[in-house]
Amino acid sequence: MLDVSLSGSNFIGSSPSADGAERIRASARQDGRPLEPEFIFATPEEVAEAARKAAAAFPVYASLTSEARASFLEAIASGIERLGDPLIERAHAESGLPLARLTGERGRTCGQLRMFAALIREGSWVDARIDLAQPDRAPVPKPDIRRMLMPIGPVAVFGASNFPLAFSVAGGDTASALASGCPVIVKGHPAHPGTSEMVARAILAAAEASGMPDGVFSLVHGGAEVGRELVERPEIEAVAFTGSRTAGRALYNLAAARPRPIPVFAEMGSVNPLFVLPGALAERGEAISKGYADSLVMGVGQFCTNPGILIGIDGEAFESMLWSVAAKLGEVAPGTMLTDAICERYDQGVAAWSQHSSLTALFFNENRAAPALFSTSAEHFLQRPELAEELFGPGAIAVRCQDFDELVAVAQALHGQLTASVHRSDADDESLAALLPVLAGIAGRVVVDGFPTGVEVCPSMQHGGPYPATTDSRSTSVGTAAIFRFVRPVAFQNLPNRFLPAELQDGNPRGIWRLIDGTLQR
Ligand code: NAP
């Protein structure tokens, strides 16, 4: 087992550092008991030192072999596993998430690290393109041009509150950035500082054992101020964030206002509309109701893919589905939310819905974090844009449309989404064909006859979408394609073979897939 004692320090590269005066202490979500120790927020000097170390580590780390980086990622995964039960218990105390869920999340976290290790070991992800010289070409000779993806530089990662392992210190952002060859500085989420330190120690132990340069990884604790300092450091080349639109947009604006702007990949959640077409409703309305209610309340609704808007065509079948969902919500035991602030925001949001002149309550009570279902007409929904905003938690609004045209109008009016789902039967083919292009136009992932929660981690996954789901719809934060956020293409023209990266050299020493004179070959 790895050492799981906690110091409350920041880790500036491999050095523990606790110069600051401001500090926080986590408390157990279940009973409010304060948890040891206090965690010290990083000072501006500590943030600057972490950034300088990352910049110094970058050329060394980026020039390591893929094998060395892959082994480092695998060592991190093994280290996290060796943290054992204390990691799961600390994450449970800090987040209130069930032990079984966190055990699964640890498996996902380690699986992601190993997935990126396999990706870079295979190597073809660098998208090598080679156009061989044609010295005799008329009227001008063609130069030799060779292009591939190269790491962008130090990346600032903001841990998310709702996945203390899989979207936090060693989560998908860190794994994909380290895989690409970028050093990482994580700003831990203040809701789970102990979990963050444990995982950071596993990363640093793996870095030392694998001979990685000091500064390849740092962890700083802090709030919005520390986050701002980090994004403003000139050494930082990209930012990865998961959380609220307010914070994600603030960081995006900050990065754009730097003397030298940098990309920000902020995943800010969405309402994930779920459409039920009439054929599906007639065929299996009850099963869809059950699946929908389960998806809505899963994890007390604290998923960015939570299906917060349910859309169907008004009539007996949809009415009966809504009451069936409402009945199922009534059977749900109250849950503990991730933080008091998230719970208060949710409870206030539901209370506001209960007072809203365009909404009718189908299921609502004033218990903390209780599920809720309200309904409205499409006409009102289209007139009141606030009803299409995310409310983080197990609450939903059902939209009753008069006909299919109105249902399409609702889809068209929605802003960018991580997911859009549709339930259909063969009787709905014509409607589905008309709806699909609209859904693909607003969402990063279109789910058919399923529910959006439970994001598969695999090469084909797209977890991103048009603004405000993310600040860059061309990217994903889940799956192997997440690595493309932290690279940029570089073309070498007429560079002698011995100076080229192995991926671009004659003879293909890495044995990767390459596009040579327009033909993909190995
Ligand atoms: P958050 O407010 O977005 O905070 C995320 C991180 O950003 C925290 O470390 C926070 O530090 C920092 N931060 C906040 N405002 C900032 C600013 N203006 N400039 C720089 N950094 C800033 O997320 P949260 O605390 O986890 O939850 C709040 C809400 O975020 C939820 O109610 C939900 O709506 C949304 N959320 C969305 C997702 C998603 O999957 N997209 C996940 C979790 C939460 P401090 O905490 O110290 O301010």
Side-chain angles (χ1 to χ4, degrees):
M1 285 246 287
L2 277 185
D3 177 16
V4 288
S5 58
L6 293 172
S7 68
S9 295
N10 303 281
F11 287 86
I12 309 305
S14 57
S15 311
S17 184
D19 296 341
E22 202 177 338
R23 46 194 66 204
I24 49 158
R25 186 192 292 277
S27 55
R29 292 302 297 152
Q30 308 293 351
D31 55 16
R33 150 184 60 95
L35 297 170
E36 294 295 337
E38 286 186 322
F39 289 82
I40 321 293
F41 278 12
T43 62
E45 293 70 32
E46 285 170 325
V47 172
E49 181 59 11
R52 280 192 291 269
K53 276 194 170 184
F58 175 50
V60 183
Y61 183 61
S63 62
L64 292 175
T65 62
S66 298
E67 178 55 40
R69 290 208 300 268
S71 300
F72 173 39
L73 294 176
E74 288 166 343
I76 297 172
S78 305
I80 291 171
E81 285 163 351
R82 282 203 309 278
L83 288 169
D85 291 344
L87 173 69
I88 301 297
E89 285 153 12
R90 179 77 190 199
H92 169 65
E94 291 184 329
S95 68
L97 294 170
L99 295 169
R101 142 80 198 265
L102 289 163
T103 304
E105 199 182 316
R106 176 178 58 192
R108 173 177 169 168
T109 307
C110 297
Q112 284 175 164
L113 287 156
R114 294 187 172 111
M115 178 186 76
F116 281 109
L119 179 80
I120 61 174
R121 195 171 266 134
E122 192 282 331
S124 302
W125 72 275
V126 299
D127 190 25
R129 294 155 183 253
I130 298 175
D131 286 288
L132 298 169
Q134 292 173 18
D136 302 333
R137 190 183 69 174
V140 284
K142 183 178 175 184
D144 180 287
I145 305 182
R146 302 180 184 221
R147 175 196 198 261
M148 66 177 276
L149 301 175
M150 305 193 83
I152 198 168
V155 176
V157 169
F158 286 73
S161 59
N162 59 340
F163 280 88
L165 299 171
F167 273 89
S168 193
V169 175
D173 293 336
T174 297
S176 53
L178 289 177
S180 73
C182 298
V184 167
I185 303 175
V186 171
K187 188 189 95 63
H189 196 288
H192 55 260
T195 309
S196 297
E197 182 179 331
M198 283 186 186
V199 174
R201 281 171 175 267
I203 297 175
L204 290 167
E208 193 185 347
S210 318
M212 295 294 135
D214 190 18
V216 69
F217 174 83
S218 291
L219 169 72
V220 291
H221 296 293
E225 194 50 42
V226 169
R228 277 194 287 275
E229 273 151 15
L230 186 56
V231 172
E232 283 184 336
R233 287 302 311 172
E235 297 88 352
I236 298 296
E237 296 291 347
V239 178
F241 168 91
T242 303
S244 66
R245 194 189 306 174
T246 308
R249 185 59 203 250
L251 297 176
Y252 179 85
N253 291 349
L254 204 64
R258 288 170 34 133
R260 192 171 55 79
I262 53 170
V264 174
F265 300 97
E267 192 261 86
M268 302 173 294
S270 62
V271 285
N272 304 294
L274 186 138
F275 297 82
V276 190
L277 298 179
L281 207 48
E283 195 178 272
R284 49 182 203 283
E286 184 53 29
I288 299 170
S289 307
K290 177 167 186 337
Y292 180 77
D294 288 347
S295 180
L296 182 67
V297 303
M298 187 187 285
V300 202
Q302 300 167 114
F303 290 114
C304 42
T305 50
N306 189 256
I309 296 190
L310 173 62
I311 304 132
I313 296 173
D314 208 8
E316 213 174 292
F318 192 49
E319 188 69 19
S320 136
M321 175 182 170
L322 295 185
W323 285 110
S324 172
V325 173
K328 288 174 176 55
L329 297 184
E331 294 162 10
V332 175
T336 306
M337 294 192 88
L338 293 158
T339 65
D340 286 341
I342 286 176
C343 189
E344 270 152 37
R345 206 168 301 135
Y346 173 72
D347 289 343
Q348 283 165 10
V350 173
W353 281 357
S354 73
Q355 305 291 317
H356 199 292
S357 60
S358 298
L359 293 178
T360 306
L362 298 172
F363 182 81
F364 163 65
N365 65 47
E366 286 175 347
N367 293 342
R368 297 202 82 192
L373 180 65
F374 289 79
S375 80
T376 187
S377 66
E379 191 190 351
H380 282 145
F381 184 79
L382 291 169
Q383 287 165 0
R384 307 298 297 263
E386 72 274 17
L387 298 180
E389 294 299 325
E390 181 187 36
L391 179 59
F392 198 65
I397 294 177
V399 182
R400 303 166 191 269
C401 305
Q402 282 182 353
D403 52 28
F404 180 69
D405 288 347
E406 206 174 42
L407 182 143
V408 173
V410 168
Q412 282 166 335
L414 290 167
H415 44 50
Q417 304 288 335
L418 293 170
T419 71
S421 305
V422 56
H423 284 257
R424 40 59 72 191
S425 75
D426 289 348
D428 297 311
D429 272 7
E430 209 178 305
S431 303
L432 183 66
L435 187 59
L436 276 177
V438 182
L439 300 188
I442 59 165
R445 178 163 59 109
V446 177
V447 180
V448 179
D449 291 346
F451 300 91
T453 41
V455 182
E456 187 70 28
V457 181
C458 59
S460 55
M461 180 45 70
Q462 173 56 26
H463 188 66
Y467 186 87
T470 73
T471 48
D472 190 334
S473 63
R474 298 164 296 176
S475 67
T476 176
S477 57
V478 177
T480 49
I483 199 171
F484 298 121
R485 295 174 296 172
F486 308 122
V487 289
R488 64 187 182 88
V490 179
F492 298 99
Q493 189 165 326
N494 290 337
L495 184 64
N497 196 57
R498 64 186 184 282
F499 290 107
L500 284 167
E503 289 85 348
L504 296 178
Q505 283 174 10
D506 292 342
N508 194 9
R510 291 275 284 118
I512 60 173
W513 286 98
R514 312 193 295 181
L515 191 70
I516 302 186
D517 286 338
T519 305
L520 197 59
Q521 51 191 273
R522 172 119 74 171

